[in-house]
Amino acid sequence: MPDPRLIVALDFSDAKAALAFAHRLNPEQCRLKVGLELYTAAGPLFIESLMNLGFGIFLDLKFHDIPNTVERAVRVASSLGVWMINVHALGGRRMLEASRAALEGAHQPPKLVAVTLLTSMDTVTLAEVGLQGSISQNVLKLAKMVDECGLDGIVCSALEAPALRNTLRSQFCLVTPGIRPLGSTPDDQSRIVTPAEAIALGADYLVIGRPISRAREPDEVIKGILMELGT
Ligand code: C5P
């Protein structure tokens, strides 16, 4: 089985458009990320349609609730047969442990990763919610806790990867958005790196949305990215 490092963000508001787009992609070259907007519109049956096309799915619902509720939600998400799911590290140690426990004994458990701090959080937001220290100090602290709780990895900026790689288990996986192939526009991403730079910095999986989903020829963009990565 191929293990594509590219995860295409399926940021569409309805199932029809998303499915038409997915038909243009090759599941041996990429996985697909379904987030809150599309999942709320299209639901679990749509996830099944994407998996029937052969795609591994990252269900990006960022669970954050009391431990019992997250444990139950993770168990249901896992039963959909998706490849990766995620929770918020800020839910705390007990919530992270509960999410891990939900996957014990599962036949083919999804990879379970956590969001440390949202990249939309700046130092003002951090102070407003009562977190002390810098963004990178908080990311590192939360990542260590996620690792201790036995999760498989985190979602982070590729620019944070080198510092994290020095501190975390070597098999801990880093999933990195904020990637822009050379020549594409940054859109609203502020700290971007190219696919090759992200891998060189220590990223395992690259989440890329608009440069592919808004391209006239998405398969050509993917071909370019894979060439850049030498795969
Ligand atoms: O279109 P673009 O490549 O910017 O899309 C990136 C995807 O990764 C979006 O679905 C966005 O919500 C997600 N994401 C992100 N930054 C994070 C976490 C997730 O851009 N820190």
Side-chain angles (χ1 to χ4, degrees):
M1 269 297 277
D3 180 21
R5 302 185 109 176
L6 175 61
I7 304 173
V8 178
L10 215 47
D11 289 326
F12 290 85
S13 56
D14 72 277
K16 203 169 157 217
L19 207 54
F21 175 71
H23 270 283
R24 303 183 64 182
L25 307 181
N26 177 351
E28 293 196 354
Q29 295 180 329
C30 62
R31 294 185 164 100
L32 301 176
K33 180 174 87 67
V34 176
L36 287 169
E37 180 189 18
L38 184 56
Y39 189 76
T40 304
L45 285 179
F46 172 70
I47 299 294
E48 208 177 310
S49 315
L50 292 176
M51 291 193 308
N52 287 340
L53 295 178
F55 288 102
I57 305 297
F58 174 13
L59 191 58
D60 179 21
L61 299 182
K62 302 185 185 72
F63 295 133
H64 188 174
D65 208 313
I66 59 170
N68 178 61
T69 302
V70 169
E71 181 170 351
R72 295 169 73 98
V74 165
R75 200 168 289 131
V76 176
S78 163
S79 74
L80 298 177
V82 294
W83 166 72
M84 178 178 275
I85 57 177
N86 62 359
V87 297
H88 267 290
L90 283 172
R93 188 176 291 272
R94 277 182 52 229
M95 194 206 81
L96 292 171
E97 286 169 352
S99 66
R100 174 80 271 169
L103 299 180
E104 268 162 32
H107 171 50
Q108 272 193 315
K111 281 189 191 295
L112 175 63
V113 300
V115 175
T116 52
L117 289 184
L118 292 168
T119 42
S120 52
M121 288 185 92
D122 55 16
T123 40
V124 175
T125 328
L126 214 61
E128 266 175 355
V129 298
L131 290 173
Q132 287 167 355
S134 68
I135 290 190
S136 52
Q137 282 167 336
N138 277 280
V139 167
L140 199 56
K141 191 170 158 190
L142 289 165
K144 276 187 199 158
M145 179 173 68
V146 173
D147 197 9
E148 284 160 16
C149 292
L151 277 70
D152 299 303
I154 52 166
V155 181
C156 64
S157 160
L159 295 167
E160 288 156 356
L164 294 164
R165 276 276 168 248
N166 285 336
T167 341
L168 304 167
R169 275 178 300 141
S170 57
Q171 67 271 43
F172 200 67
C173 86
L174 304 180
V175 181
T176 61
I179 312 285
R180 287 293 178 270
L182 278 179
S184 53
T185 56
D187 302 303
D188 54 356
Q189 296 280 13
S190 50
R191 298 194 303 148
I192 54 171
V193 298
T194 67
E197 282 167 348
I199 297 293
L201 287 165
D204 296 293
Y205 296 104
L206 314 179
V207 177
I208 308 182
R210 287 161 289 182
I212 298 171
S213 60
R214 297 207 181 151
R216 202 182 285 266
E217 303 287 350
D219 45 336
E220 287 300 315
V221 180
I222 291 180
K223 207 152 92 183
I225 293 169
L226 297 181
M227 269 175 61
E228 184 184 330
L229 297 180
T231 50

